[in-house]
Amino acid sequence: MDIKNLVSKMTLEEKAAMCSGADFWHTKKVERLDIPSVQVSDGPHGLRTQGEGGGDHLGLNAAIEAVCFPAACATACSFDREMMYDMGVTLAKECQAENVSVLLGPAVNIKRSPLCGRNFEYISEDPYVAGELSAAYIQGVQSQNVGTSIKHFAVNNQEHERMSGSSNVDERTLREIYLSAFETAIKKAQPWTVMCSYNRVNGVYASENSWLLTKVLREEWGFDGFVVSDWGAVNDRVEGIIAGLELEMPGGCWNDKKIIEAVQDGTLKEERLDRAVERILNIIYRYVNNKKEEVFDREADHRKAEKIAEKSIVLLKNDGQALPLSSEEKVAFIGGFAEEPRYQGGGSSHINSHKVTSALSLAGEYGCIQYAEGFLAEEDQTDEQLFSQAMETAENADKIVVFAGLPDSFESEGYDRVHMHLPDCQNRLIERLLTLGKPVIVVLHNGSPVEMPWAKEVQGILEAYLGGEAVGKAEMEILYGKVNPSGKLAESFPRRLEDNPSFLNFPGTDKQVNYAEGVFVGYRYYDTKKMDVLFPFGHGLSYTTFAYSNLKINKETCRPGDTIKISVDVTNSGQREGREIVQLYVSDKTGTAIRPIHELKGFSTAVLKPGETKTVTMELDYRSFAWYDVGQKDWYAANGVYEIGIGKSSRDIVLEGKINIEGSREKFPVIDRNVMIGDLLACPITAGYVKGNLTKYLQKFSGGSEASEFDLLIENMIKYMPLRSLRSFAGMTNEQVDAIVADLEKLINTSETNRVFSIFY
Ligand code: BGC
């Protein structure tokens, strides 16, 4: 298909119209040229496809019946790339069957605060996990010729004032934390589309931010699809097209006119409009030309949703092997979520689930279970009668399982939580049940961490998150030991909200939110501060145990361009088959930058029979060690020693090794009039020039004294002086300063060390 040729046949009006949707979910067609309309649909963990009319972006109106898979807060805990790929394939087949060209997901915004109402849709507090898992999901969906829309680009980490607020973040933090998952997914998986976010980034709306949408996304990362606005995210349409926003959603024609006028009055070059239309048509035809007839079996997908939930549920605590339950034991199920699980979040990802399996509905198949509602799942209440019934039911049991969690009204798209508590009635009931002196196990249904005032006293905690429509079956399989739990947390659980690094700056005021904690997000903060947490990042238990040995690093040094292989033997040292998630953390020991104590840079999984050992291998490259050096506008890992930690969680590092970085470029000072003389002398490329060419000026400071005195003087007095101060103190002219700046720039740009580095980056 010659898209350029097609665009050349379109009128200005047709091209402008192509840049906004026909309605909530369709692109416009151009009958004259046989350009078809295609449908898009939310996303990310199931299809929210709406029929004609009644479209909305908050999950309020009807949608077709579909299969609700576990939300990203849950699937992230599987740390399983293959599973994410497979879930993507399954979703894409449903898309093909329902004529959906682009599935609106994955959502990879970083979990900055546990309060963000939409954390349940997001993957992790860690950009490496979010990048790896979203790339696998995208590859899975797109393998079936259905597109994805990675969202929300970028720095949309709260719902409060999301449509107008400015996320104010320094560039290093942006690159290392908030953009990094997008970068990985785009470079590895090329999503067909990127959805820009509602918010402003450092003052400029994401929908008209050319730095984000063009410089970073396309020029640096090589994105080749189109950018679509989040629904209603457009501020100035013409600025948007200029910045690199191609498609406005939902549809409407109010902006088509503006585009036409802008071309006519010369504000918008027609080539830019042509380019936007080309990008949109490329994707439309990529889908249309590969359209497949597909049917899907909802029952089979429901079972798949169950298997995914089984890999995602995290066993947080299991004292005295309270779990698994035995069919011989008398068990009390307490809590409305046993009967009606909370398994998905509210808003645009809300699925009209084809069916829902609750744990209670399966009780008869597993053991001897009595049930009491205990509290109303939907609200905070003090119904003494419900409490008393719960206590009576629990008194007759050997073990008590409480199905607790957050009600829909507590967390959703559209607003943030204001605290991290469960409803008080749930905490009170758990405290009362504990007075019976029987083992209490809490099963949690929530999209984001909660405080657990009873955590020390209960014997077991199972984090089911929002585990999709089959969550009840997955819970029963794990509670009764038919399945061995293997998920691990993709986020930290702080003891209390106040411990969270964003606490003082969340959600901001006056439409300004300052990301003052910088790169210290989640475990990067808690671990560096050695702060006690409730459950650390990466934590998760199993019904078996694993032993780690034989850490091998295949090279002693890593140079730019190298790939390093790290291998470790993992042995199932317990009695049951199990799956272990192995984590690799890198720790910069060079002391050349302010960095978190360690950062996750690899993970892998192994399924092991009792007594079995497998070697798990992970790869690192130069970038795994690097931080973003704004001065150099590049990723940079200083030469020197780095530690490799193999962990069961970020707080349980079981094996350690070392590696050296060599051949990295020297860290050059930024050359301008404000460069400090001390920095120029410390840099091997510029030191000679300064000594050779500036001595006569610098000596003025020592009254023309001898060289040895001059060295001392430089060290102690003029190292912090900017070059420009030689005008005031050493009689240099403006022209001389500029000439020196030009010489120094040339020196840096042509140095060998610099070139060695830039081959790779
Ligand atoms: C959400 C997006 C969603 C879109 C369409 C917006 O409110 O932020 O994630 O894809 O609506 O429903």
Side-chain angles (χ1 to χ4, degrees):
M1 182 93 208
D2 186 347
I3 302 284
K4 262 193 196 312
N5 185 32
L6 181 59
V7 174
S8 71
K9 292 184 185 146
M10 293 172 81
T11 63
L12 177 57
E13 289 69 20
E14 284 166 343
K15 289 188 285 194
M18 208 61 226
C19 294
S20 64
D23 57 22
F24 244 82
W25 305 116
H26 294 84
T27 59
K28 293 201 188 98
K29 63 173 152 205
V30 183
E31 269 169 31
R32 188 179 71 84
L33 296 167
D34 278 341
I35 297 175
S37 154
V38 295
Q39 178 180 219
V40 302
S41 178
D42 280 309
H45 45 261
L47 261 61
R48 188 175 67 92
T49 308
Q50 296 182 308
E52 296 297 314
D56 73 277
H57 65 299
L58 289 173
L60 304 171
N61 296 321
I64 59 160
E65 273 192 12
V67 180
C68 179
F69 290 86
C73 57
T75 51
C77 301
S78 71
F79 282 79
D80 190 329
R81 297 175 180 89
E82 288 82 43
M83 188 198 87
M84 294 302 284
Y85 182 94
D86 189 47
M87 178 172 148
V89 170
T90 310
L91 283 165
K93 288 189 169 159
E94 295 193 7
C95 287
Q96 285 284 7
E98 301 290 355
N99 297 317
V100 171
S101 65
V102 173
L103 185 60
L104 303 176
V108 301
N109 298 92
I110 293 295
K111 299 179 196 229
R112 173 175 178 246
S113 162
L115 298 184
C116 170
R118 230 177 155 179
N119 274 359
F120 70 88
E121 257 185 273
Y122 300 152
I123 297 174
S124 182
E125 68 186 24
D126 179 84
Y128 178 76
V129 180
E132 289 291 306
L133 296 184
S134 60
Y137 169 102
I138 293 167
Q139 283 163 343
V141 175
Q142 295 188 174
S143 71
Q144 302 305 304
N145 286 310
V146 170
T148 53
S149 194
I150 192 169
K151 63 191 188 183
H152 309 88
F153 192 58
V155 218
N156 178 183
N157 311 94
Q158 62 187 51
E159 294 300 282
H160 178 83
E161 299 181 338
R162 70 168 166 163
M163 291 191 163
S164 50
S166 176
S167 301
N168 302 325
V169 201
D170 67 89
E171 188 178 350
R172 178 180 165 198
T173 303
L174 272 176
R175 301 272 192 174
E176 288 183 33
I177 306 291
Y178 295 99
L179 301 185
S180 171
F182 289 98
E183 179 182 2
T184 304
I186 282 154
K187 287 182 174 168
K188 280 194 164 179
Q190 274 293 353
W192 290 9
T193 80
V194 167
M195 188 190 293
C196 75
S197 57
Y198 286 123
N199 54 288
R200 289 176 290 150
V201 179
N202 292 327
V204 183
Y205 277 102
S207 61
E208 57 198 51
N209 195 317
S210 62
W211 181 79
L212 261 188
L213 303 186
T214 296
K215 165 127 193 342
V216 174
L217 183 64
R218 291 190 186 273
E219 292 170 10
E220 291 185 24
W221 301 345
F223 172 64
D224 69 3
F226 71 75
V227 177
V228 56
S229 70
D230 198 345
W231 268 231
V234 168
N235 172 52
D236 181 321
R237 186 62 188 108
V238 174
E239 282 301 318
I241 299 231
I242 295 172
L245 167 67
E246 280 82 30
L247 179 65
E248 173 178 9
M249 288 301 276
C253 345
W254 50 87
N255 275 331
D256 298 357
K257 198 163 155 265
K258 287 205 167 155
I259 296 175
I260 295 165
E261 281 164 10
V263 171
Q264 283 165 346
D265 71 17
T267 330
L268 175 66
K269 291 206 182 86
E270 192 156 358
E271 303 88 77
R272 287 221 183 218
L273 177 61
D274 290 354
R275 199 181 57 183
V277 176
E278 258 171 50
R279 287 171 178 165
I280 295 169
L281 290 177
N282 267 328
I283 297 299
I284 290 180
Y285 281 101
R286 198 182 287 174
Y287 169 71
V288 170
N289 292 340
N290 295 292
K291 177 87 186 85
K292 293 200 255 185
E293 283 312 311
E294 194 69 68
V295 278
F296 71 99
D297 175 351
R298 288 206 174 85
E299 283 303 321
D301 289 0
H302 180 84
R303 285 194 294 280
K304 195 159 268 182
E306 176 208 321
K307 295 290 161 219
I308 292 173
E310 285 171 4
K311 275 192 171 177
S312 307
I313 290 176
V314 187
L315 179 60
L316 292 175
K317 180 175 180 182
N318 194 19
D319 279 5
Q321 299 193 328
L323 290 176
L325 304 170
S326 123
S327 56
E328 308 296 307
E329 288 166 331
K330 281 192 283 170
V331 178
F333 275 13
I334 309 289
F337 290 122
E339 198 174 1
E340 277 183 44
R342 178 149 182 271
Y343 64 94
Q344 66 169 328
S348 59
S349 68
H350 200 269
I351 305 302
N352 179 11
S353 305
H354 110 280
K355 75 173 189 188
V356 182
T357 310
S358 74
L360 192 63
S361 67
L362 303 169
E365 296 170 28
Y366 287 83
C368 170
I369 296 164
Q370 297 296 316
Y371 168 67
E373 191 174 7
F375 48 81
L376 299 173
E378 269 315 305
E379 57 197 72
D380 204 355
Q381 112 294 11
T382 44
D383 187 333
E384 190 47 44
Q385 208 192 338
L386 284 179
F387 279 14
S388 315
Q389 281 165 1
M391 292 298 279
E392 270 168 39
T393 308
E395 263 165 24
N396 300 320
D398 300 318
K399 286 182 180 165
I400 304 162
V401 182
V402 184
F403 288 75
L406 293 173
D408 276 334
S409 58
F410 273 43
E411 60 177 357
S412 168
E413 177 177 346
Y415 53 91
D416 297 318
R417 286 192 291 166
V418 287
H419 58 66
M420 250 177 78
H421 313 158
L422 284 173
D424 280 351
C425 62
Q426 297 189 23
N427 285 336
R428 277 202 310 278
L429 183 57
I430 294 170
E431 301 288 358
R432 271 221 229 170
L433 291 165
L434 280 164
T435 62
L436 296 173
K438 297 169 192 267
V440 173
I441 294 123
V442 179
V443 182
L444 286 167
H445 305 77
N446 48 321
S448 194
V450 290
E451 289 172 6
M452 302 181 209
W454 32 259
K456 261 204 181 122
E457 295 135 84
V458 300
Q459 280 194 282
I461 305 174
L462 201 59
E463 177 54 86
Y465 277 109
L466 303 182
E469 64 175 46
V471 69
K473 173 84 184 231
E475 287 171 350
M476 291 303 268
E477 291 284 284
I478 288 177
L479 285 171
Y480 279 88
K482 307 258 188 272
V483 166
N484 192 352
S486 62
K488 296 203 181 198
L489 293 178
E491 65 187 319
S492 315
F493 275 49
R495 285 208 170 276
R496 38 178 212 147
L497 177 63
E498 291 81 351
D499 292 344
N500 177 260
S502 74
F503 177 70
L504 296 174
N505 291 289
F506 185 96
T509 51
D510 300 330
K511 297 191 191 166
Q512 302 291 327
V513 50
N514 298 325
Y515 286 47
E517 68 284 358
V519 297
F520 293 92
V521 174
Y523 71 87
R524 284 169 165 75
Y525 175 79
Y526 303 120
D527 292 359
T528 307
K529 293 270 289 182
K530 297 193 169 48
M531 187 182 274
D532 192 24
V533 290
L534 188 56
F535 297 109
F537 176 87
H539 168 75
L541 304 172
S542 163
Y543 295 152
T544 188
T545 49
F546 298 99
Y548 289 47
S549 60
N550 208 15
L551 170 62
K552 284 191 190 145
I553 304 172
N554 78 334
K555 286 182 185 164
E556 279 174 17
T557 55
C558 172
R559 304 178 69 85
D562 283 354
T563 303
I564 311 295
K565 284 195 171 26
I566 317 282
S567 67
V568 58
D569 291 350
V570 186
T571 304
N572 184 339
S573 47
Q575 307 300 319
R576 306 189 36 145
E577 181 172 314
R579 186 179 73 109
E580 175 66 334
I581 297 164
V582 181
Q583 300 156 45
L584 189 164
Y585 295 86
V586 166
S587 184
D588 181 346
K589 298 290 164 195
T590 66
T592 47
I594 298 170
R595 296 188 72 177
I597 192 163
H598 57 193
E599 294 172 40
L600 186 84
K601 295 294 172 185
F603 60 80
S604 191
T605 61
V607 176
L608 298 160
K609 298 206 172 0
E612 192 185 4
T613 299
K614 279 186 186 162
T615 303
V616 164
T617 306
M618 289 165 279
E619 287 187 352
L620 298 177
D621 57 19
Y622 179 86
R623 174 74 182 265
S624 314
F625 300 90
W627 56 285
Y628 191 81
D629 183 348
V630 178
Q632 308 298 320
K633 295 190 177 45
D634 212 342
W635 294 90
Y636 173 66
N639 290 333
V641 177
Y642 293 73
E643 252 170 35
I644 309 287
I646 301 294
K648 294 183 173 179
S649 79
S650 81
R651 286 293 172 92
D652 190 5
I653 304 295
V654 289
L655 294 172
E656 274 174 342
K658 282 193 173 31
I659 193 160
N660 270 293
I661 295 281
E662 274 181 20
S664 184
R665 61 164 159 61
E666 296 295 330
K667 187 166 154 35
F668 306 134
V670 179
I671 305 296
D672 58 18
R673 291 166 150 236
N674 291 312
V675 64
M676 293 187 294
I677 291 160
D679 284 352
L680 291 172
L681 285 161
C683 168
I685 296 165
T686 52
Y689 177 94
V690 172
K691 287 195 176 138
N693 296 282
L694 300 186
T695 305
K696 62 174 191 266
Y697 298 103
L698 296 172
Q699 274 177 344
K700 297 218 164 139
F701 294 97
S702 60
S705 58
E706 294 305 307
S708 57
E709 288 167 72
F710 164 73
D711 287 345
L712 193 65
L713 199 88
I714 285 171
E715 263 190 61
N716 294 333
M717 281 179 59
I718 61 172
K719 63 181 174 186
Y720 301 134
M721 269 188 192
L723 206 52
R724 69 172 150 72
S725 65
L726 296 183
R727 286 177 319 195
S728 320
F729 304 130
M732 207 179 253
T733 63
N734 264 331
E735 290 69 33
Q736 282 170 320
V737 173
D738 290 344
I740 290 166
V741 167
D743 281 356
L744 289 168
E745 266 173 351
K746 200 159 152 205
L747 266 180
I748 294 270
N749 290 338
T750 55
S751 99
E752 271 306 303
T753 341
N754 197 21
R755 256 183 276 140
V756 168
F757 185 82
S758 58
I759 288 172
F760 305 104
Y761 291 89

